[in-house]
Every structure is written in C-alpha cells, then in structure tokens.
Amino acid sequence: MKKWTELVPGAVVLEAGSSARFKTGSWRTFRPVWLQENCIQCLMCWLYCPDMAVKVVDGKMTGFDYDYCKGCGVCAKECPGKQGKKAIVMEPEGK
Amino acid sequence: MGKVVAVTGNEAVANALRQADPDVCSLYPITPQTDIVQRFSSFVANGQVQTELLNAESEHSAMSAAIGAAAGGGRVITATSSQGLALMWEMLHIASGMNLPIIMPLVNRALSAPLNIHGDHSDGMGARDTGWIQLWSENAQEAYDNTIMSFRIGEHTDIRLPIMVCMDGFIVSHSIARMEYLEDDEVKKFIGPYQKVNPLLDLEHPKSFGPLILTDLYHEYKRLQHEIMGRVKNVVLQVSDEFGKLSGRKYGLFESYRLEDAEIALVILNSAAGTSKDVVDELRDKGIKAGLLKPRLFRPFPYVEVGQALKHLKAVCVMDRADSFGGYGPMFMEISSAMYQADGEGRKPKLINKIYGLGGRDYMPHDARKVLLELNEIAKGAPVGAVKEYIGVRE
Amino acid sequence: METRELLKWSAQVKLREKSKQEVRFEHGHRMCAGCGAPTVVKMVLMATEYPVVVSNATGCLEVSTCIQDYTAWKTPWIHTAFENAAATLSGVETMYRALLKKGKMPENVKFIAFGGDGGTYDIGLQSLSGAMERGHDMLYVCYDNGAYMNTGIQRSSATPLGADTTTSPAGSANPAGKLQVRKDLTRIMGAHGIYAAQASPSHWLDLMTKVKKAHQIKGAKFINIIAPCNRGWRTATDNSIELSRLAVETCYWPLYEIEDGKLKVTVVPEEKKPADMFFKPQGRFKHLYSPGNEGMLQRIQAEIDRTWERLLKESEQAC
C-alpha cells in the first residue's frame, strides 16, 4: 500500500481505465460457455454484457474474457442461438 | 500607485474580483454578501471581465459548480454569508479535499435561529474545520488586499487550497470607508495567469476526480492534507511580503498593536479591532500598558507565533464574536492552545474570554475599556471570575 | 424482407460497426454481477462520440467504478457528492465555455451526468432542475432502479407502487409495501422545456438514437433509463435485460420523448402485456400475490393503463 507521501493531492486518478488491472473473474460461480456452431454473430451478448467481458474481434464474437466475466448469465439468457439452440450456456464454475 | 476612494467593503471586494478577472463566477444571493455578486454580474454584463457567470439555484449548487469549474482547470470565485455557508458545508470539505483553489469572500453574518442578518463570526467559525484557508479583515482596505492576495495564496502550486476572505457583515460590507485601490494592471501582474494542475478538461489525458477511498488509504490522504495545510503559513508570508512591496501595506500572520511592552492585551478579530485600538491608545495615555493582537490567518492557525507574541503578558482577554455553546468561544480555544504550548519560562498570562457583538450588536469603546480595565486588575493580582462571559448584554 | 426484419438487419450492421469502436468504459468495475447500470452507461457512451466529460452522483455506479487508483472511466470523470451531479457538471461545462471563449479548448465537447433515482428524483432534484433551467449544454442520464440500492434498497420517490423495500416493507399492519405511486420525473423534466426522454437497455437502438439526438440539441437534455437491479428487485442475476424489456412491453416503462413541448411515444409494444409479467418475477412484489392484496394489483394495473392511454393520446395529438 502507498504511503501518504506517494499520494496525488486531491485524490485524482491519473490513469484512465485503470480498473482493467482489477480482475473480477473470481466472483464467478457459473461460467458462460460459447458454442460457436450455434452462434449467428448477432453480438447481443457483447451488447448486453455489463462487464465488457465478451471478446469481439473485427465485428465478430470470439469468446469470453474470463478475467472479468462475473458469470451473471445475461449473455446466455439474451442469446437467440440458431434454430432454438443457444450459442451460450451457463455451467457451474469448476465443472 | 493606486487611487484613493470612498467605498463600501462589498464594493472594494467586488473590484478586487474584477481585477482578478476569473474564468468562472458561480453565485447565489444572500444578505449581506449579495452586493458583491450583484456588482460582479454588472462587470460581466458590461464586458469589464471575461468571466462566465453561473447563477446557481442554491449555495450548495453554487459551491458544487465552483468545484466542478475549478476541477475543470481555471480561476473560480463565489461569495457567501451565514446560512449560505452553512448550506455549503458538505461541499466545503469536498473543495479542500480535492485541492481546488476556489476564492470566496465570506461576509460574516449570524446564523439562525432566531433569524438575523447582521454581522457576527458564527458562520466563519463554524467552517474552521473544513480544510479551507481563512483570512480575516478589519476593514474595506484589508478585505480588498486579502482578496487580491487570496488568488496568489490559494492557487499557489505548493498548496492549491480553497480560501475564504472574511469581513464583517454591514459594519464593513455596507459602510463607506476611505481606502486605496491598486491599478488594474498592477493587480493583473501581481496575481498572474492561472496555473493548471491536473485539469479535468484535459481531453488527451482523461482523469477521474472523486474516487472512493476506504480504510486502507483515507487516513493517508488526510495526512497529506495536513501536510499541505502546514505549507500555507510560508506561502501567506511570502505573498504578503510581495504585496507589501507593491502596495506599501504590510501584512503578516496577525497584527500586533502596541504589544511588545504591554502587560495586558485583547485578542480580537475584524472590525471590532479598530474600535479596540482606539481604547488601547486611550489607556496607554493613562499609563496602562495595554496592547492588542488581531489574528489575520485563522486557518491554519499560527499557534507558535501567536504564543510567542502573547507569552510575556500578564493577562489577556480573548474576544469572541461567536459562541461554541457548551464550550469556550472558538478564538479562546485557539489562544488557550497556543499559550499552553508557548515557552513562557514557567509564567503564562491569565486568560479570560468575552462573547460580544452577536447578531450585529454594537461593540463600543466603553466595552473595550471595561474589559481592559478588568484585565488591568487581574494583572495586578485580582482573581479571575468567570472565564467565559457575555458582554454588552442586558442582564 | 419485411420492414421489421430490415430494421433488425440494419441495426445489426450498426452494431458490428459499433463493436469496432472503443467503449470508454472499462471492465474491472465492481458493479454486482448482472447489474443493469453498467449496460446503460456502456450504451450511452457507445452513442456518444468522444470528447465527452462525465459527472457522477454518489451511488452504486460511482462507488463501483472509481475506487482508489482503479477507474473504469476512460473519459474525464468527476464525482463530488450525492445531490449535485448536475450542479457539478454545470460548473465544469461553464469552465469549458470560459476556456473555449479564450481559444483554450476545442469545439464540440459533450457533457453527461449520471445519477441513480435517489440522486436524481429525490435529493438531487433541485440541482438537476437548476442546471436544466440554466440551459447548460449537458445531458443528464438517470439510471432508474427504483430505490436507494447503494445503501441497501430503501424506497425513493421512483420506487413503484406496492414495492417492498427496507423502508417501505410489507408487514402485518401494512401488507401492501409502498403506498404511493412513482414521481413522474420524465414529465417534470419535460416541463422544463428541454428534450426529455425515457429509454430502456432492452430497446438499445431506441436508447442510442435518443442519446444521439440529445447530443445534437444545444442546451440541457434529460434521459431517464430503467436499470434493473437484481439485488433490490429480488430476481436472478441473468434477467436485467429481460425485465427491462418486460417493463416496456407491459407499458410500466413507456418509451417516449418530449421535444419542443411535444410528446411522442417512440415504441408501441406489438401487444400490451399484463403488468403481472413484469411484477410477478420480482421478489419485491411477492407480497402482492398473497391473499388480501388483490386491490393493490388492480390499482397498479389501473395506474399503468391510465398513464399509457394518456401518453398515447398526447402522442397522437402531437402527430
């Protein structure tokens, strides 16, 4: 921990987006699993994820960032899937 | 050099603010301060300053907006009195905790209830623990000078703290007195351009202001605030010295009046000090060794220097124009602390405390005379009666 | 393709493009799993081209997104207190104008304040009203989860009729929970003569369109966005979006905007669903389904119907 002599007066946080150094993945009790074969690339999971934990590269869903995913399950719930089959399912952590 | 004028304290302060030409003025009217922001608004309307005016819907918002504006990265002013300062209370701590130099004339006025619009120091004394610098002023000249210096002090990069410049409501704010203005360009040069420190409006380097700090760091942040407050005294002396060279008017941490060889003295703030000085002179003529100390920098309080200045006396009366109900007057508590720590070689003055002038009650020469004569008796060995006592009150 | 499908398709294309842009709200924030508020913030920022300066009222969003050295914000961000996000930002915006006038800032910097319903409907209403009346060029976004969630689910003036909160609990003497209807803040803000709208993260395109529109208007704007809270609503963590959708489809949370004094409903549900569909899945309304509370359920439905019909009527008249 910092000493008082090392603090910025006024408690200003100088580094934008520094929360990325704080991993919230350990909060998870359930983890989302991506079933690529059922994915229609609608990006609803990315849009609705409260934790910016869906990795999208070049406009395409490529998986989850488990360093930050808290396992809420919103992505799985909102996933329309393909022909009734979800592209995201929730599984107990550690299974 | 400057121009001699006859103006009210409010007009003098408004002109100091005009000469500083701040970037933003957030305001809300309250008696007896209103006159300042009213005058300043007309400076804006007439293009005499480049300031953006923000007419807040309360003092709480006026201070919140001042904080937002100061964080943004520019020179900010507001002004208030009494209930207005009380409503700002929450935000006063936030302004200082965020190290934002906001300049605020405080036209001292009593606090409700009962409602009273006249001058006493209850408002300013109530804000003594908010982390703001406080400069107190005896008259229009001092209020003007302190206002100009407050920009240099508050914005100094060693400290970056908000600062309130106090003067007595009505007695000074609304009375016309002789004083001397500095020229606009002199003031501009003296204050200098605003120096930014970590401005929020730096779009290339986004910063976050106002984080949550818990048990593991809060104590350290307060330690830092304590450290910064400790630097204020030197900044005040340095700026006052420079101002003295410009104006010919000398300011220190406090004013000593005929104190060096005195045996008894009053400690008294603001306008009542003027009345008291006359009585000190009168008693001196009668061979009574009276003196006076008028604090200027009340926060941070210069305990060591005040202790040094008073330790040789036989008896001191601390005059308070505010009461801490259930405690001694707020100034008395400071002087007691200063004297307890002072190196008096085993001898310390007897201290008494008088509460005077609440809600604008007149403080007359006969009040000062009565207190000084009581001190004279104590100095000669008479026992101290009540330590704290109201004076000028109908019994 | 049918119109609806076409709209969906074009929205998808927009979303793909959006996903390539940087969202200036970083992961690693500490909002509860499944909270609706970060999604609201993300969507608002997705619809906002940088530069933007953000202020935040004290509350869940604030304490969870900026702790010690960890900030989730990649925009200039300021929090000072609870009741004054609007006043604080009005000060920043005024400083911006002062510096802009002196050529020290670029043009077109946007300003957004975020506050929860407690900080907006209740303690911050005066500060908000003042800032809107003064016409600062800023957008105030209320993320409305219907109670003081940060302090542990106390009722606010945004809490729905009948809700069980820790300060409006359903008990043996009062089995109904909160006895008062919500304050209609969106209309109150509309009465300021500004752009005021209501949105929901479930209807993200409508939400983002409103944000974009707000930014195009010079002056004060207000958007009220429903943000489900699974802790306070007593629901599972995965249904914040579903509940916000049901809030719209039951007309509990109608989507509309007020512009130049004219009210326009922006989303009319294909089929207005019964209020039960929004209320029943939530634990905070569980007591309403016990015998003796039938009257409350009827009152809730009647309140929703009355508000919705009035909105539709006004919207039609404005067209």
Side-chain angles (χ1 to χ4, degrees):
Chain A
M1 290 304 292
K2 284 183 181 167
K3 297 175 188 168
W4 70 264
T5 47
E6 297 164 331
L7 300 175
V8 179
V12 182
V13 182
L14 301 174
E15 186 193 346
S18 51
S19 64
R21 287 191 272 114
F22 190 84
K23 309 272 170 83
T24 52
S26 62
W27 296 18
R28 225 170 28 244
T29 50
F30 284 83
R31 67 160 48 208
V33 176
W34 182 44
L35 307 172
Q36 197 174 350
E37 63 275 19
N38 298 335
C39 180
I40 59 165
Q41 291 295 345
C42 66
L43 298 185
M44 287 298 128
C45 51
W46 170 79
L47 177 70
Y48 289 130
C49 174
D51 292 298
M52 285 66 78
V54 176
K55 290 184 189 166
V56 171
V57 179
D58 275 338
K60 292 219 159 118
M61 154 65 164
T62 61
F64 294 102
D65 190 337
Y66 292 109
D67 278 348
Y68 302 101
C69 168
K70 294 168 187 160
C72 67
V74 166
C75 54
K77 187 129 188 169
E78 291 302 316
C79 175
K82 200 187 271 175
Q83 291 154 357
K85 286 182 189 161
K86 292 262 184 192
I88 302 170
V89 292
M90 299 302 288
E91 283 182 1
E93 195 59 47
K95 186 186 152 187
Chain B
M1 274 304 285
K3 189 171 120 192
V4 175
V5 291
V7 293
T8 63
N10 277 346
E11 185 173 351
V13 167
N15 266 303
L17 298 174
R18 177 187 59 74
Q19 291 176 315
D21 196 3
D23 294 299
V24 171
C25 168
S26 68
L27 66 93
Y28 191 80
I30 184 166
T31 307
Q33 165 280 127
T34 314
D35 191 26
I36 295 177
V37 295
Q38 222 168 261
R39 285 174 189 277
F40 196 84
S41 301
S42 68
F43 297 148
V44 174
N46 295 324
Q48 290 166 275
V49 287
Q50 287 185 283
T51 312
E52 287 291 328
L53 214 55
L54 190 153
N55 275 274
E57 82 297 333
S58 71
E59 284 93 352
H60 191 284
S61 285
M63 184 47 64
S64 302
I67 290 168
R75 185 165 286 155
V76 179
I77 61 161
T78 183
T80 197
S81 289
S82 180
Q83 307 304 119
L85 187 73
L87 187 56
M88 285 178 181
W89 195 79
E90 178 193 29
M91 301 314 297
L92 295 177
H93 290 260
I94 293 171
S96 60
M98 293 173 87
N99 280 91
L100 299 171
I102 295 161
I103 309 304
M104 180 166 73
L106 173 68
V107 184
N108 298 113
R109 168 187 147 181
L111 287 170
S112 277
L115 178 63
N116 178 293
I117 57 167
H118 291 278
D120 75 28
H121 304 155
S122 311
D123 50 4
M125 288 297 160
R128 68 191 167 170
D129 297 337
T130 57
W132 281 57
I133 300 168
Q134 286 190 349
L135 290 176
W136 293 70
S137 330
E138 179 181 326
N139 49 40
Q141 184 73 65
E142 288 191 13
Y144 170 82
D145 292 348
N146 280 338
T147 303
I148 288 169
M149 282 183 265
S150 69
F151 288 93
R152 283 285 303 280
I153 297 165
E155 292 174 9
H156 198 287
T157 48
D158 283 357
I159 53 179
R160 306 293 285 189
L161 284 174
I163 178 163
M164 48 184 95
V165 175
C166 308
M167 68 166 155
D168 285 344
F170 289 105
I171 301 164
V172 174
S173 68
H174 285 63
S175 303
I176 292 175
R178 179 197 181 279
M179 62 153 303
E180 192 178 308
Y181 281 139
L182 294 170
E183 297 293 344
D184 288 359
D185 57 349
E186 286 178 324
V187 175
K188 193 180 173 187
K189 204 174 144 208
F190 177 78
I191 294 179
Y194 182 82
Q195 292 181 57
K196 292 180 186 190
V197 176
N198 293 331
L200 178 68
L201 284 169
D202 176 357
L203 305 169
E204 267 75 57
H205 305 96
K207 286 177 266 293
S208 291
F209 277 65
L212 173 69
I213 303 289
L214 295 172
T215 43
D216 46 6
L217 267 178
Y218 183 87
H219 203 55
E220 278 67 30
Y221 274 108
K222 293 295 132 180
R223 174 65 185 85
L224 176 59
Q225 208 174 331
H226 162 72
E227 185 72 14
I228 292 168
M229 206 54 160
R231 297 175 195 153
V232 172
K233 195 176 74 184
N234 284 339
V235 173
V236 169
L237 288 173
Q238 180 201 317
V239 172
S240 302
D241 186 52
E242 228 179 286
F243 186 80
K245 283 173 191 147
L246 171 69
S247 65
R249 291 184 290 276
K250 298 239 176 297
Y251 290 93
L253 303 174
F254 50 85
E255 182 192 337
S256 297
Y257 188 76
R258 305 188 82 163
L259 206 53
E260 268 180 32
D261 64 336
E263 290 179 347
I264 58 168
L266 298 180
V267 175
I268 191 161
L269 274 174
N270 279 16
S271 64
T275 310
S276 305
K277 284 181 217 167
D278 278 351
V279 179
V280 165
D281 290 345
E282 175 197 309
L283 294 189
R284 282 273 178 173
D285 291 344
K286 289 178 184 164
I288 297 172
K289 288 189 171 174
L292 179 145
L293 186 144
K294 182 187 75 182
R296 176 184 178 227
L297 181 67
F298 185 72
R299 276 293 178 273
F301 195 82
Y303 293 99
V304 175
E305 293 80 356
V306 167
Q308 279 296 322
L310 297 177
K311 69 176 188 183
H312 65 283
L313 294 160
K314 288 184 177 162
V316 173
C317 178
V318 183
M319 307 288 288
D320 269 296
R321 203 165 202 154
D323 198 356
S324 170
F325 301 98
Y328 292 124
M331 181 62 84
F332 183 83
M333 293 193 249
E334 302 304 349
I335 300 300
S336 299
S337 302
M339 298 323 296
Y340 193 82
Q341 302 297 336
D343 168 25
E345 288 141 18
R347 198 176 61 85
K348 280 179 183 159
K350 294 261 194 290
L351 290 184
I352 56 170
N353 185 200
K354 305 288 185 198
I355 309 293
Y356 76 99
L358 300 187
R361 171 62 50 87
D362 279 339
Y363 173 77
M364 306 299 279
H366 63 78
D367 294 314
R369 196 176 301 122
K370 202 176 158 199
V371 173
L372 281 164
L373 290 176
E374 184 185 339
L375 280 180
N376 199 37
E377 293 306 309
I378 292 171
K380 284 184 203 155
V384 171
V387 174
K388 173 184 163 186
E389 202 174 36
Y390 273 59
I391 61 164
V393 69
R394 283 187 300 280
E395 300 285 358
Chain C
M1 262 191 276
E2 281 186 36
T3 323
R4 190 168 289 272
E5 287 298 305
L6 195 69
L7 276 173
K8 215 170 164 184
W9 176 79
S10 77
Q12 228 83 75
V13 173
K14 277 183 191 163
L15 206 56
R16 192 142 297 143
E17 287 314 304
K18 279 273 164 225
S19 74
K20 292 173 188 167
Q21 291 164 13
E22 185 188 15
V23 180
R24 287 184 174 260
F25 187 57
E26 191 59 277
H27 43 213
H29 67 71
R30 305 181 207 183
M31 300 293 273
C32 300
C35 173
T39 308
V40 165
V41 170
K42 186 168 93 171
M43 287 180 178
V44 169
L45 289 183
M46 277 165 66
T48 306
E49 216 174 300
Y50 196 75
V52 59
V53 178
V54 174
S55 95
N56 212 163
T58 310
C60 291
L61 179 66
E62 173 268 323
V63 298
S64 305
T65 57
C66 190
I67 307 176
Q68 290 180 2
D69 285 342
Y70 303 98
T71 181
W73 301 89
K74 292 159 101 173
T75 68
W77 179 88
I78 183 167
H79 153 255
T80 65
F82 191 12
E83 66 279 57
N84 61 354
T88 303
L89 194 64
S90 78
V92 183
E93 188 264 355
T94 305
M95 180 55 76
Y96 166 70
R97 276 186 284 114
L99 298 178
L100 179 69
K101 193 165 70 178
K102 292 171 183 168
K104 294 175 183 171
M105 290 296 296
E107 302 264 359
N108 297 320
V109 177
K110 292 171 271 301
F111 294 85
I112 303 176
F114 287 103
D117 50 283
T120 307
Y121 284 68
D122 288 351
I123 198 168
L125 183 61
Q126 174 185 315
S127 155
L128 171 62
S129 174
M132 298 289 108
E133 182 273 333
R134 291 193 295 274
H136 295 281
D137 190 20
M138 60 183 266
L139 166 63
Y140 191 104
V141 174
C142 173
Y143 68 99
D144 183 344
N145 51 31
Y148 291 86
M149 298 309 184
N150 193 40
T151 43
I153 323 163
Q154 291 79 33
R155 72 82 98 181
S156 76
S157 60
T159 300
L161 177 65
D164 172 276
T165 72
T166 56
T167 52
S168 65
S172 55
N174 168 29
K178 192 191 177 215
L179 296 170
Q180 301 81 16
V181 294
R182 292 162 40 78
K183 184 189 282 180
D184 194 344
L185 183 65
T186 310
R187 275 180 180 273
I188 293 170
M189 297 325 294
H192 285 67
I194 60 167
Y195 177 80
Q198 218 159 259
S200 164
S202 57
H203 294 66
W204 58 274
L205 196 57
D206 175 75
L207 184 156
M208 291 193 203
T209 305
K210 283 169 177 165
V211 173
K212 273 183 187 290
K213 189 169 183 175
H215 287 317
Q216 280 159 14
I217 299 166
K218 195 94 186 147
K221 291 84 61 170
F222 173 83
I223 303 181
N224 202 359
I225 306 179
I226 191 168
C229 163
N230 55 61
R231 298 289 304 121
W233 292 17
R234 302 291 183 213
T235 60
T237 61
D238 65 354
N239 59 4
S240 60
I241 299 303
E242 185 177 72
L243 280 174
S244 66
R245 189 177 295 118
L246 284 167
V248 174
E249 289 173 352
T250 57
C251 298
Y252 164 79
W253 190 265
L255 302 183
Y256 66 95
E257 61 188 7
I258 303 168
E259 197 182 357
D260 298 326
K262 286 179 184 165
L263 187 149
K264 190 180 141 204
V265 172
T266 55
V267 173
V268 180
E270 277 178 82
E271 168 206 3
K272 181 168 171 265
K273 293 180 173 161
D276 275 356
M277 290 186 72
F278 174 66
F279 281 70
K280 213 167 182 177
Q282 301 181 47
R284 62 176 172 160
F285 299 117
K286 194 176 156 200
H287 58 288
L288 296 179
Y289 295 89
S290 298
N293 262 336
E294 297 81 2
M296 275 300 281
L297 285 171
Q298 283 164 12
R299 196 179 152 201
I300 286 165
Q301 185 66 64
E303 197 60 48
I304 290 172
D305 293 348
R306 191 182 63 82
T307 309
W308 177 242
E309 276 154 29
R310 185 178 158 206
L311 281 174
L312 277 183
K313 207 170 151 190
E314 278 184 49
S315 185
E316 278 159 21
Q317 279 168 354
C319 285

